[in-house]
Amino acid sequence: MVVLIPLTHEWRDRLLARAPKGSHAAAALNTAVDVTRYVFRPYIELSVACDEDTAELILRLAKAHCPEAVEEIEKALRLFRKMQ
């Protein structure tokens, strides 16, 4: 099972700019999938699929560099943990 993190393009770009090159976080952010046709939340454009550890890394990046994304990432982690 994977964590699915909903992001905007802007949030993803900001996080990717701060993710260490070659890290799992950078790889996950680089492979984000466009979900605009499937998610009915107007501001969500991308879904990042990753494991829990990588989601935690992305959350730490967001807390430092993209606070707007923190709530969505925390929700994704809570949902993932609830499904375990």
Side-chain angles (χ1 to χ4, degrees):
M1 192 154 186
V2 297
V3 181
L4 295 174
I5 302 171
L7 297 174
T8 67
H9 284 282
E10 178 188 347
W11 298 347
R12 191 272 314 260
D13 292 346
R14 240 188 294 164
L15 293 168
L16 188 55
R18 300 296 184 151
K21 303 260 188 282
S23 70
H24 290 286
L29 291 164
N30 266 322
T31 59
V33 174
D34 184 325
V35 293
T36 52
R37 291 181 285 178
Y38 309 105
V39 176
F40 302 106
R41 290 171 30 204
Y43 63 94
I44 296 301
E45 301 161 332
L46 301 169
S47 182
V48 175
C50 59
D51 62 25
E52 187 175 10
D53 291 339
T54 302
E56 288 287 349
L57 290 171
I58 293 170
L59 177 59
R60 283 198 296 277
L61 285 170
K63 285 181 177 180
H65 306 290
C66 188
E68 302 90 343
V70 169
E71 184 178 347
E72 291 294 338
I73 299 166
E74 288 176 339
K75 281 184 200 176
L77 278 163
R78 279 194 304 273
L79 179 62
F80 172 81
R81 290 171 181 149
K82 186 176 180 179
M83 302 292 283
Q84 293 292 312

